Amino acid sequence: MNNADTALAAGFDGLLAEAGDTITLRGGSVSAVIDWMPFEEKGARGLPDLDEQATSRIEIKSASVSPAPGVGEIITTGGNVYHRIQQVRFNGAAWVLDCEVTL
């Protein structure tokens, strides 16, 4: 692992410790960071985003899940909120999951 990846992993561990939530994926509990309003980039700059669909971005440490999360899988958070994975990316330390939310 290079210095940048080491720093990214250490920073993500700190973020999980301070602001992590517990989610349920595949029947197991996993620590994750949830951003409830992540899609600022959805609309063009200066134009309103008229899509009222609830969305989230969830980051899970890569070592916490195997195999990688897949599109269509469901994540559950407190209060029975369901996040359906729409897109999966890897940032070097964590899986970044863009989700559609059902409240």
Side-chain angles (χ1 to χ4, degrees):
M1 186 180 288
N2 65 36
N3 289 342
D5 287 341
T6 301
L8 182 62
F12 189 68
D13 287 342
L15 183 59
L16 275 176
E18 288 294 319
D21 290 306
T22 300
I23 63 168
T24 302
L25 174 65
R26 300 177 187 144
S29 295
V30 179
S31 292
V33 175
I34 303 172
D35 181 356
W36 288 94
M37 298 187 307
F39 298 143
E40 306 83 29
E41 68 272 10
K42 280 197 318 186
R45 289 199 180 268
L47 297 176
D49 179 9
L50 300 177
D51 180 6
E52 293 184 13
Q53 176 180 350
T55 58
S56 66
R57 179 168 290 149
I58 299 175
E59 294 189 39
I60 304 171
K61 193 172 180 178
S62 61
S64 297
V65 294
S66 182
V71 171
E73 284 192 85
I74 303 294
I75 294 169
T76 307
T77 55
N80 291 326
V81 177
Y82 300 96
H83 305 254
R84 184 175 167 280
I85 300 172
Q86 301 288 309
Q87 182 178 14
V88 178
R89 295 184 313 281
F90 183 68
N91 70 4
W95 295 108
V96 180
L97 314 171
D98 291 336
C99 303
E100 172 185 81
V101 177
T102 304
L103 304 173

Coordinates of all heavy atoms in Angstrom, one line a residue:
M1 N 0.9 -1.2 0.0 CA 0.0 0.0 0.0 C 0.9 1.2 0.0 O 1.8 1.3 0.8 CB -0.9 0.0 1.2 CG -1.9 1.0 1.3 SD -3.0 1.0 2.7 CE -4.0 -0.4 2.4
N2 N 0.6 2.2 -0.9 CA 1.4 3.4 -0.9 C 1.0 4.4 0.1 O 0.0 4.2 0.8 CB 1.4 4.0 -2.3 CG 0.0 4.5 -2.7 OD1 -0.7 5.0 -1.9 ND2 -0.3 4.4 -4.0
N3 N 1.8 5.5 0.3 CA 1.5 6.5 1.3 C 0.1 7.1 1.2 O -0.6 7.4 2.2 CB 2.6 7.6 1.3 CG 3.9 7.1 1.8 OD1 4.0 6.0 2.5 ND2 4.9 7.8 1.5
A4 N -0.3 7.4 0.0 CA -1.6 8.0 -0.2 C -2.8 7.0 0.3 O -3.7 7.5 0.9 CB -1.8 8.4 -1.7
D5 N -2.7 5.8 -0.1 CA -3.7 4.8 0.3 C -3.7 4.6 1.8 O -4.7 4.5 2.4 CB -3.4 3.5 -0.4 CG -3.8 3.5 -1.9 OD1 -4.6 4.4 -2.3 OD2 -3.3 2.6 -2.6
T6 N -2.5 4.6 2.4 CA -2.4 4.5 3.9 C -3.0 5.7 4.6 O -3.8 5.5 5.5 CB -0.9 4.4 4.3 OG1 -0.3 3.2 3.6 CG2 -0.7 4.2 5.8
A7 N -2.8 6.9 4.1 CA -3.4 8.1 4.7 C -4.9 8.1 4.5 O -5.7 8.4 5.4 CB -2.8 9.3 4.1
L8 N -5.4 7.6 3.3 CA -6.8 7.6 3.0 C -7.5 6.6 4.0 O -8.5 6.9 4.6 CB -7.1 7.2 1.6 CG -8.5 7.1 1.1 CD1 -9.2 8.5 1.2 CD2 -8.6 6.6 -0.3
A9 N -6.9 5.4 4.1 CA -7.4 4.4 5.0 C -7.5 4.9 6.5 O -8.4 4.7 7.2 CB -6.6 3.1 4.9
A10 N -6.4 5.5 6.9 CA -6.4 6.1 8.3 C -7.4 7.1 8.5 O -8.1 7.2 9.5 CB -5.0 6.6 8.6
G11 N -7.6 8.0 7.5 CA -8.6 9.1 7.6 C -10.0 8.5 7.7 O -10.9 9.0 8.4
F12 N -10.2 7.5 6.8 CA -11.6 6.8 6.8 C -11.8 6.1 8.1 O -13.0 6.2 8.6 CB -11.7 5.9 5.6 CG -13.1 5.4 5.4 CD1 -14.1 6.2 5.0 CD2 -13.4 4.1 5.7 CE1 -15.4 5.8 4.9 CE2 -14.7 3.6 5.6 CZ -15.7 4.4 5.1
D13 N -10.8 5.5 8.7 CA -11.0 4.9 10.0 C -11.4 5.9 11.1 O -12.3 5.7 11.9 CB -9.7 4.1 10.5 CG -9.5 2.9 9.7 OD1 -10.5 2.3 9.1 OD2 -8.4 2.4 9.7
G14 N -10.8 7.1 11.0 CA -11.1 8.2 12.0 C -12.5 8.7 11.8 O -13.3 8.9 12.7
L15 N -12.9 8.8 10.5 CA -14.3 9.2 10.2 C -15.3 8.2 10.7 O -16.4 8.6 11.3 CB -14.4 9.4 8.7 CG -15.8 10.0 8.2 CD1 -16.1 11.3 8.8 CD2 -15.8 10.1 6.7
L16 N -15.1 6.9 10.5 CA -15.9 5.9 11.0 C -16.1 6.0 12.5 O -17.2 5.8 13.1 CB -15.4 4.5 10.6 CG -15.8 4.0 9.2 CD1 -15.1 2.6 9.0 CD2 -17.3 3.8 9.1
A17 N -15.0 6.2 13.2 CA -15.0 6.3 14.7 C -15.8 7.5 15.1 O -16.5 7.4 16.2 CB -13.6 6.4 15.2
E18 N -15.8 8.6 14.4 CA -16.5 9.8 14.9 C -17.9 9.9 14.4 O -18.8 10.4 15.1 CB -15.7 11.0 14.4 CG -14.4 11.3 15.1 CD -14.6 11.6 16.6 OE1 -15.6 12.4 16.9 OE2 -13.9 11.1 17.4
A19 N -18.1 9.5 13.1 CA -19.5 9.7 12.5 C -20.0 8.5 11.9 O -21.0 8.6 11.1 CB -19.3 10.8 11.5
G20 N -19.5 7.3 12.2 CA -20.0 6.1 11.6 C -21.4 5.7 12.1 O -21.8 6.0 13.2
D21 N -22.1 5.0 11.2 CA -23.4 4.4 11.5 C -23.3 2.9 11.4 O -22.5 2.4 10.6 CB -24.5 5.0 10.6 CG -24.8 6.4 10.8 OD1 -25.1 6.8 12.0 OD2 -24.8 7.2 9.9
T22 N -24.3 2.2 12.0 CA -24.3 0.8 11.7 C -25.4 0.5 10.7 O -26.5 1.0 10.9 CB -24.6 0.0 13.1 OG1 -23.6 0.3 14.0 CG2 -24.7 -1.5 12.8
I23 N -25.1 -0.3 9.7 CA -26.0 -0.6 8.6 C -26.1 -2.2 8.6 O -25.3 -2.9 9.2 CB -25.6 -0.1 7.3 CG1 -24.2 -0.8 6.8 CG2 -25.5 1.4 7.2 CD1 -23.9 -0.6 5.4
T24 N -27.1 -2.7 7.9 CA -27.3 -4.1 7.8 C -27.2 -4.4 6.3 O -27.9 -3.8 5.5 CB -28.6 -4.6 8.3 OG1 -28.7 -4.2 9.7 CG2 -28.8 -6.1 8.2
L25 N -26.2 -5.2 5.9 CA -26.0 -5.7 4.6 C -25.8 -7.2 4.6 O -25.0 -7.7 5.3 CB -24.7 -5.0 4.0 CG -24.3 -5.5 2.6 CD1 -25.4 -5.1 1.5 CD2 -23.0 -4.8 2.2
R26 N -26.6 -7.9 3.8 CA -26.6 -9.3 3.7 C -26.8 -10.0 5.0 O -26.2 -11.0 5.4 CB -25.2 -9.8 3.1 CG -25.0 -9.3 1.7 CD -23.6 -9.7 1.2 NE -23.3 -9.0 -0.1 CZ -22.1 -8.6 -0.4 NH1 -21.1 -8.9 0.3 NH2 -22.0 -8.1 -1.6
G27 N -27.6 -9.4 5.9 CA -27.9 -10.0 7.2 C -26.9 -9.7 8.3 O -27.1 -10.1 9.4
G28 N -25.9 -9.0 8.0 CA -24.9 -8.7 9.0 C -24.7 -7.2 9.2 O -25.0 -6.4 8.4
S29 N -24.2 -6.9 10.4 CA -24.0 -5.5 10.7 C -22.6 -5.0 10.3 O -21.7 -5.7 10.5 CB -24.2 -5.3 12.3 OG -25.5 -5.5 12.7
V30 N -22.6 -3.8 9.7 CA -21.3 -3.2 9.2 C -21.3 -1.8 9.6 O -22.3 -1.1 9.5 CB -21.3 -3.4 7.7 CG1 -20.0 -2.8 7.1 CG2 -21.4 -4.9 7.3
S31 N -20.1 -1.2 9.9 CA -20.0 0.2 10.1 C -19.8 0.9 8.8 O -19.1 0.4 7.9 CB -18.7 0.5 11.0 OG -19.0 0.0 12.3
A32 N -20.5 2.0 8.7 CA -20.4 2.8 7.4 C -20.6 4.3 7.7 O -21.1 4.7 8.8 CB -21.5 2.3 6.5
V33 N -20.3 5.1 6.7 CA -20.6 6.5 6.7 C -21.7 6.8 5.7 O -21.6 6.3 4.6 CB -19.3 7.3 6.4 CG1 -19.6 8.8 6.3 CG2 -18.2 7.1 7.4
I34 N -22.7 7.5 6.1 CA -23.9 7.7 5.2 C -24.0 9.2 5.0 O -24.1 10.0 5.9 CB -25.2 7.2 5.9 CG1 -25.1 5.7 6.2 CG2 -26.4 7.5 4.9 CD1 -26.2 5.2 7.0
D35 N -24.1 9.6 3.7 CA -24.3 11.0 3.3 C -25.7 10.9 2.7 O -26.0 10.3 1.7 CB -23.3 11.4 2.2 CG -23.5 12.8 1.8 OD1 -24.5 13.5 2.2 OD2 -22.7 13.3 1.0
W36 N -26.6 11.6 3.4 CA -28.1 11.6 3.0 C -28.4 12.5 1.8 O -29.5 12.3 1.2 CB -28.9 11.9 4.2 CG -28.9 10.8 5.2 CD1 -28.1 10.7 6.3 CD2 -29.7 9.7 5.1 NE1 -28.4 9.6 6.9 CE2 -29.4 8.9 6.3 CE3 -30.7 9.2 4.3 CZ2 -29.9 7.7 6.6 CZ3 -31.3 7.9 4.6 CH2 -30.9 7.2 5.7
M37 N -27.6 13.4 1.4 CA -27.8 14.3 0.3 C -26.6 14.4 -0.6 O -26.0 15.5 -0.7 CB -28.3 15.7 0.8 CG -29.5 15.7 1.6 SD -30.2 17.3 2.1 CE -28.8 18.1 2.8
P38 N -26.2 13.3 -1.2 CA -24.9 13.3 -1.9 C -24.9 13.8 -3.3 O -23.8 14.0 -3.9 CB -24.6 11.9 -1.9 CG -25.9 11.2 -2.0 CD -26.8 12.1 -1.2
F39 N -26.0 14.0 -4.0 CA -25.9 14.1 -5.4 C -26.0 15.6 -5.9 O -26.8 15.9 -6.8 CB -27.0 13.3 -6.1 CG -26.9 11.8 -5.8 CD1 -28.0 11.0 -5.6 CD2 -25.6 11.3 -5.8 CE1 -27.9 9.7 -5.4 CE2 -25.5 9.9 -5.5 CZ -26.6 9.1 -5.3
E40 N -25.1 16.4 -5.3 CA -25.1 17.8 -5.8 C -24.7 17.9 -7.3 O -25.1 18.8 -8.0 CB -24.0 18.6 -5.0 CG -24.1 18.6 -3.6 CD -23.5 17.4 -2.9 OE1 -22.5 16.8 -3.5 OE2 -23.9 17.0 -1.9
E41 N -24.0 16.8 -7.7 CA -23.5 16.8 -9.1 C -24.6 16.3 -10.1 O -24.4 16.3 -11.3 CB -22.3 16.0 -9.2 CG -22.5 14.5 -9.0 CD -22.3 14.1 -7.6 OE1 -22.3 14.9 -6.7 OE2 -22.3 12.9 -7.3
K42 N -25.8 16.0 -9.6 CA -26.8 15.4 -10.5 C -27.3 16.4 -11.6 O -27.4 16.0 -12.7 CB -28.0 14.9 -9.8 CG -27.8 13.6 -9.1 CD -29.1 12.9 -8.7 CE -30.1 13.7 -8.1 NZ -31.3 13.0 -7.6
G43 N -27.5 17.6 -11.2 CA -28.0 18.6 -12.1 C -26.9 19.5 -12.6 O -25.8 19.5 -12.1
A44 N -27.1 20.2 -13.7 CA -26.1 21.1 -14.2 C -26.0 22.3 -13.3 O -26.9 22.7 -12.6 CB -26.5 21.6 -15.6
R45 N -24.8 22.9 -13.2 CA -24.6 24.0 -12.4 C -25.5 25.1 -12.7 O -25.8 25.5 -13.8 CB -23.1 24.5 -12.5 CG -22.1 23.6 -11.9 CD -20.8 24.3 -11.7 NE -19.9 23.4 -11.1 CZ -19.7 23.3 -9.8 NH1 -20.4 23.9 -8.9 NH2 -18.8 22.4 -9.3
G46 N -26.1 25.7 -11.6 CA -27.0 26.8 -11.8 C -28.4 26.4 -12.1 O -29.3 27.3 -12.1
L47 N -28.7 25.1 -12.3 CA -30.0 24.7 -12.6 C -30.6 23.8 -11.5 O -29.8 23.0 -10.9 CB -30.1 23.9 -13.9 CG -29.7 24.6 -15.2 CD1 -29.6 23.6 -16.4 CD2 -30.6 25.7 -15.5
P48 N -31.8 24.0 -11.1 CA -32.3 23.2 -10.0 C -32.5 21.7 -10.4 O -32.7 21.4 -11.6 CB -33.7 23.8 -9.7 CG -34.1 24.5 -11.0 CD -32.8 24.9 -11.7
D49 N -32.3 20.9 -9.4 CA -32.5 19.4 -9.6 C -34.0 19.2 -9.2 O -34.3 19.2 -8.1 CB -31.5 18.6 -8.8 CG -31.7 17.1 -9.0 OD1 -32.5 16.7 -9.8 OD2 -31.1 16.4 -8.2
L50 N -34.8 18.9 -10.2 CA -36.2 18.7 -9.9 C -36.6 17.2 -9.6 O -37.7 16.9 -9.3 CB -37.1 19.1 -11.1 CG -36.9 20.6 -11.4 CD1 -37.7 21.0 -12.7 CD2 -37.2 21.5 -10.3
D51 N -35.6 16.4 -9.5 CA -35.7 15.0 -9.1 C -35.9 14.9 -7.6 O -35.0 15.2 -6.9 CB -34.5 14.2 -9.6 CG -34.6 12.7 -9.2 OD1 -35.7 12.3 -8.7 OD2 -33.6 12.0 -9.4
E52 N -37.1 14.5 -7.1 CA -37.3 14.5 -5.7 C -37.0 13.2 -5.1 O -37.3 12.9 -3.9 CB -38.8 14.9 -5.4 CG -39.0 16.4 -5.8 CD -40.4 16.8 -5.4 OE1 -41.1 16.1 -4.7 OE2 -40.8 17.9 -5.9
Q53 N -36.5 12.3 -5.8 CA -36.2 10.9 -5.3 C -35.1 11.0 -4.2 O -34.1 11.7 -4.3 CB -35.6 10.1 -6.4 CG -35.1 8.7 -6.0 CD -34.6 8.0 -7.2 OE1 -34.7 8.4 -8.4 NE2 -34.0 6.9 -7.0
A54 N -35.4 10.4 -3.1 CA -34.5 10.4 -1.9 C -33.3 9.5 -2.3 O -33.4 8.4 -2.9 CB -35.2 9.8 -0.7
T55 N -32.1 10.0 -2.0 CA -30.8 9.3 -2.4 C -29.9 9.4 -1.2 O -30.0 10.2 -0.3 CB -30.1 10.0 -3.6 OG1 -29.9 11.3 -3.3 CG2 -31.0 9.9 -4.8
S56 N -28.9 8.5 -1.2 CA -27.9 8.4 -0.2 C -26.6 8.0 -0.8 O -26.6 7.3 -1.9 CB -28.2 7.5 1.0 OG -28.3 6.2 0.6
R57 N -25.5 8.3 -0.2 CA -24.2 7.7 -0.6 C -23.6 7.1 0.7 O -23.5 7.7 1.7 CB -23.2 8.8 -1.1 CG -21.9 8.2 -1.5 CD -21.0 9.2 -2.3 NE -21.6 9.4 -3.6 CZ -21.6 10.5 -4.3 NH1 -21.0 11.6 -3.8 NH2 -22.1 10.6 -5.5
I58 N -23.3 5.8 0.6 CA -22.8 5.0 1.7 C -21.4 4.6 1.4 O -21.1 4.1 0.3 CB -23.7 3.8 2.0 CG1 -25.2 4.3 2.3 CG2 -23.2 3.0 3.1 CD1 -26.2 3.2 2.5
E59 N -20.5 4.8 2.4 CA -19.1 4.3 2.2 C -18.9 3.2 3.3 O -19.1 3.5 4.5 CB -18.1 5.5 2.4 CG -18.3 6.5 1.2 CD -17.2 7.5 1.2 OE1 -16.0 7.1 1.5 OE2 -17.5 8.7 1.0
I60 N -18.4 2.1 2.8 CA -18.1 0.9 3.7 C -16.6 0.6 3.5 O -16.2 0.4 2.3 CB -19.0 -0.3 3.3 CG1 -20.5 0.1 3.3 CG2 -18.7 -1.4 4.2 CD1 -21.4 -1.0 2.8
K61 N -15.9 0.4 4.6 CA -14.5 0.0 4.5 C -14.4 -1.3 3.7 O -15.2 -2.3 3.9 CB -14.0 -0.2 5.9 CG -12.5 -0.4 6.0 CD -12.0 -0.4 7.4 CE -10.5 -0.5 7.5 NZ -10.1 -0.4 8.9
S62 N -13.5 -1.4 2.7 CA -13.5 -2.5 1.8 C -13.2 -3.9 2.5 O -13.8 -4.9 2.1 CB -12.4 -2.3 0.7 OG -11.1 -2.2 1.3
A63 N -12.5 -3.9 3.6 CA -12.3 -5.1 4.4 C -13.5 -5.6 5.1 O -13.5 -6.7 5.6 CB -11.1 -4.9 5.3
S64 N -14.5 -4.8 5.2 CA -15.7 -5.2 6.0 C -16.7 -6.0 5.2 O -17.6 -6.6 5.8 CB -16.5 -3.9 6.4 OG -15.7 -3.1 7.3
V65 N -16.6 -6.1 3.9 CA -17.6 -6.9 3.1 C -16.8 -7.6 2.0 O -15.9 -7.1 1.4 CB -18.6 -6.0 2.4 CG1 -19.6 -5.4 3.4 CG2 -18.1 -4.9 1.5
S66 N -17.3 -8.8 1.8 CA -16.7 -9.7 0.7 C -17.8 -10.6 0.3 O -18.4 -11.3 1.1 CB -15.5 -10.4 1.2 OG -14.9 -11.1 0.1
P67 N -18.1 -10.7 -1.0 CA -17.5 -10.0 -2.1 C -18.0 -8.5 -2.1 O -18.8 -8.2 -1.2 CB -18.0 -10.7 -3.3 CG -19.3 -11.4 -2.9 CD -19.1 -11.7 -1.4
A68 N -17.6 -7.8 -3.1 CA -18.0 -6.4 -3.2 C -19.5 -6.2 -3.2 O -20.2 -7.1 -3.8 CB -17.4 -5.7 -4.4
P69 N -20.1 -5.2 -2.6 CA -21.5 -5.0 -2.8 C -21.9 -4.8 -4.3 O -21.1 -4.4 -5.1 CB -21.7 -3.6 -2.0 CG -20.5 -3.5 -1.2 CD -19.4 -4.1 -1.9
G70 N -23.1 -5.2 -4.6 CA -23.5 -5.2 -6.0 C -24.7 -4.3 -6.2 O -25.5 -4.1 -5.3
V71 N -24.9 -3.9 -7.4 CA -26.1 -3.1 -7.8 C -27.3 -3.9 -7.6 O -27.3 -5.1 -7.9 CB -26.0 -2.7 -9.3 CG1 -27.2 -2.0 -9.8 CG2 -24.8 -1.7 -9.5
G72 N -28.3 -3.3 -7.0 CA -29.6 -4.0 -6.7 C -29.7 -4.5 -5.2 O -30.7 -4.8 -4.8
E73 N -28.5 -4.6 -4.6 CA -28.6 -5.1 -3.2 C -29.2 -4.1 -2.3 O -29.2 -2.9 -2.6 CB -27.2 -5.4 -2.7 CG -26.6 -6.7 -3.2 CD -25.4 -7.2 -2.4 OE1 -25.5 -7.8 -1.4 OE2 -24.3 -6.9 -2.9
I74 N -29.8 -4.5 -1.2 CA -30.5 -3.6 -0.3 C -29.7 -3.5 1.0 O -29.2 -4.5 1.6 CB -31.9 -4.2 0.1 CG1 -32.7 -4.4 -1.2 CG2 -32.6 -3.3 1.1 CD1 -33.1 -3.1 -1.9
I75 N -29.5 -2.3 1.5 CA -28.9 -2.0 2.8 C -30.0 -1.4 3.7 O -30.8 -0.6 3.2 CB -27.8 -0.9 2.6 CG1 -26.6 -1.6 1.8 CG2 -27.3 -0.4 4.0 CD1 -25.6 -0.6 1.4
T76 N -30.1 -1.8 4.9 CA -31.1 -1.3 5.9 C -30.4 -0.5 6.9 O -29.3 -0.9 7.4 CB -31.8 -2.5 6.6 OG1 -32.3 -3.3 5.6 CG2 -33.0 -2.0 7.4
T77 N -30.9 0.7 7.3 CA -30.4 1.5 8.4 C -31.5 1.6 9.4 O -32.6 1.2 9.2 CB -30.0 2.9 7.9 OG1 -31.1 3.5 7.2 CG2 -28.8 2.8 6.9
G78 N -31.2 2.3 10.5 CA -32.2 2.4 11.6 C -33.5 2.9 11.2 O -33.6 3.7 10.2
G79 N -34.5 2.5 11.8 CA -35.9 2.9 11.5 C -36.4 2.3 10.2 O -37.4 2.8 9.6
N80 N -35.9 1.2 9.8 CA -36.3 0.4 8.6 C -36.3 1.3 7.4 O -37.2 1.3 6.6 CB -37.7 -0.2 8.8 CG -37.6 -1.3 9.8 OD1 -36.6 -2.0 9.9 ND2 -38.7 -1.5 10.6
V81 N -35.2 2.0 7.2 CA -35.0 2.8 6.0 C -34.1 1.9 5.0 O -33.1 1.3 5.4 CB -34.2 4.1 6.2 CG1 -33.9 4.8 5.0 CG2 -35.0 5.0 7.2
Y82 N -34.6 1.7 3.8 CA -34.0 0.8 2.8 C -33.2 1.6 1.8 O -33.8 2.6 1.2 CB -35.0 0.0 2.2 CG -35.8 -0.9 3.2 CD1 -37.0 -0.5 3.7 CD2 -35.2 -2.1 3.6 CE1 -37.7 -1.3 4.6 CE2 -35.9 -2.9 4.6 CZ -37.1 -2.5 5.0 OH -37.7 -3.2 6.0
H83 N -32.0 1.2 1.5 CA -31.2 1.9 0.5 C -30.9 0.8 -0.6 O -30.2 -0.2 -0.3 CB -29.8 2.3 1.1 CG -30.0 3.2 2.3 ND1 -29.7 4.5 2.2 CD2 -30.4 2.9 3.6 CE1 -29.9 5.1 3.4 NE2 -30.3 4.1 4.2
R84 N -31.4 1.0 -1.8 CA -31.1 0.1 -2.9 C -29.9 0.6 -3.7 O -29.9 1.7 -4.2 CB -32.3 0.0 -3.8 CG -32.2 -1.0 -4.9 CD -33.5 -1.1 -5.7 NE -33.3 -1.8 -6.9 CZ -32.8 -1.3 -8.1 NH1 -32.5 -0.1 -8.1 NH2 -32.7 -2.1 -9.2
I85 N -28.9 -0.2 -3.8 CA -27.6 0.2 -4.4 C -27.9 0.4 -5.9 O -28.3 -0.5 -6.6 CB -26.5 -0.8 -4.2 CG1 -26.2 -1.0 -2.7 CG2 -25.2 -0.4 -4.9 CD1 -25.3 -2.1 -2.3
Q86 N -27.5 1.6 -6.4 CA -27.6 2.0 -7.8 C -26.3 2.0 -8.6 O -26.2 1.7 -9.8 CB -28.2 3.4 -8.0 CG -29.6 3.6 -7.3 CD -30.6 2.9 -8.1 OE1 -30.7 3.1 -9.3 NE2 -31.4 2.0 -7.5
Q87 N -25.2 2.3 -7.8 CA -23.9 2.3 -8.4 C -22.8 2.0 -7.4 O -23.0 2.4 -6.2 CB -23.6 3.7 -9.0 CG -22.2 3.9 -9.7 CD -22.0 5.2 -10.2 OE1 -22.7 6.2 -9.9 NE2 -21.0 5.4 -11.1
V88 N -21.8 1.3 -7.8 CA -20.7 0.9 -6.9 C -19.4 1.4 -7.4 O -19.1 1.1 -8.6 CB -20.7 -0.7 -6.7 CG1 -19.5 -1.1 -5.8 CG2 -22.0 -1.2 -6.2
R89 N -18.6 2.0 -6.6 CA -17.2 2.4 -6.9 C -16.3 2.1 -5.8 O -16.7 1.9 -4.6 CB -17.2 4.0 -7.2 CG -18.0 4.4 -8.3 CD -17.8 5.9 -8.6 NE -17.9 6.8 -7.5 CZ -19.1 7.2 -6.9 NH1 -20.2 6.7 -7.4 NH2 -19.1 8.0 -5.9
F90 N -15.0 2.0 -6.1 CA -14.0 1.8 -5.0 C -13.0 3.0 -5.0 O -12.5 3.4 -6.1 CB -13.2 0.5 -5.3 CG -12.2 0.2 -4.2 CD1 -12.6 -0.2 -3.0 CD2 -10.9 0.2 -4.5 CE1 -11.7 -0.5 -2.0 CE2 -9.9 -0.1 -3.5 CZ -10.4 -0.4 -2.3
N91 N -12.8 3.6 -3.9 CA -11.9 4.8 -3.8 C -10.5 4.5 -3.3 O -9.8 5.5 -3.0 CB -12.6 5.9 -3.0 CG -12.7 5.6 -1.5 OD1 -12.2 4.6 -1.0 ND2 -13.3 6.5 -0.8
G92 N -10.2 3.3 -3.1 CA -8.9 2.9 -2.6 C -8.9 2.5 -1.1 O -8.0 1.8 -0.7
A93 N -9.9 2.9 -0.4 CA -10.1 2.5 1.0 C -11.5 1.9 1.3 O -11.6 1.1 2.2 CB -9.8 3.6 1.9
A94 N -12.4 2.3 0.5 CA -13.8 2.0 0.8 C -14.6 1.8 -0.4 O -14.3 2.3 -1.5 CB -14.5 3.1 1.7
W95 N -15.7 1.0 -0.3 CA -16.7 0.9 -1.3 C -17.6 2.1 -1.2 O -18.1 2.4 -0.1 CB -17.5 -0.4 -1.2 CG -16.7 -1.6 -1.4 CD1 -16.3 -2.5 -0.5 CD2 -16.2 -2.0 -2.7 NE1 -15.6 -3.5 -1.1 CE2 -15.4 -3.2 -2.4 CE3 -16.2 -1.5 -4.0 CZ2 -14.8 -3.9 -3.4 CZ3 -15.5 -2.2 -5.0 CH2 -14.8 -3.4 -4.7
V96 N -17.9 2.8 -2.3 CA -18.7 4.0 -2.3 C -20.0 3.6 -3.1 O -19.9 3.2 -4.3 CB -18.0 5.2 -3.0 CG1 -19.0 6.4 -3.0 CG2 -16.7 5.5 -2.3
L97 N -21.1 3.6 -2.4 CA -22.4 3.1 -2.9 C -23.4 4.2 -3.1 O -23.8 4.9 -2.1 CB -22.9 2.0 -2.0 CG -21.9 1.0 -1.5 CD1 -22.5 0.2 -0.4 CD2 -21.4 0.2 -2.6
D98 N -23.8 4.5 -4.3 CA -24.9 5.5 -4.5 C -26.2 4.7 -4.5 O -26.3 3.7 -5.2 CB -24.7 6.2 -5.8 CG -23.5 7.1 -5.9 OD1 -23.1 7.6 -4.8 OD2 -22.9 7.4 -6.9
C99 N -27.1 5.2 -3.7 CA -28.3 4.4 -3.4 C -29.6 5.3 -3.6 O -29.6 6.5 -3.4 CB -28.3 3.9 -2.0 SG -26.9 2.9 -1.5
E100 N -30.7 4.5 -3.9 CA -32.0 5.1 -3.9 C -32.6 4.7 -2.6 O -32.5 3.6 -2.1 CB -32.8 4.4 -5.0 CG -34.3 4.7 -5.1 CD -34.9 3.9 -6.2 OE1 -35.2 2.7 -6.0 OE2 -35.2 4.4 -7.3
V101 N -33.3 5.7 -1.9 CA -33.8 5.4 -0.5 C -35.3 5.3 -0.5 O -36.0 6.1 -1.2 CB -33.3 6.6 0.4 CG1 -33.9 6.4 1.8 CG2 -31.8 6.7 0.4
T102 N -35.8 4.3 0.2 CA -37.2 4.1 0.5 C -37.4 4.3 2.0 O -36.8 3.6 2.8 CB -37.7 2.7 0.1 OG1 -37.4 2.5 -1.3 CG2 -39.2 2.6 0.3
L103 N -38.2 5.3 2.3 CA -38.4 5.6 3.8 C -39.6 4.9 4.3 O -40.5 4.5 3.6 CB -38.6 7.1 3.9 CG -37.5 8.0 3.4 CD1 -37.9 9.5 3.5 CD2 -36.2 7.8 4.2

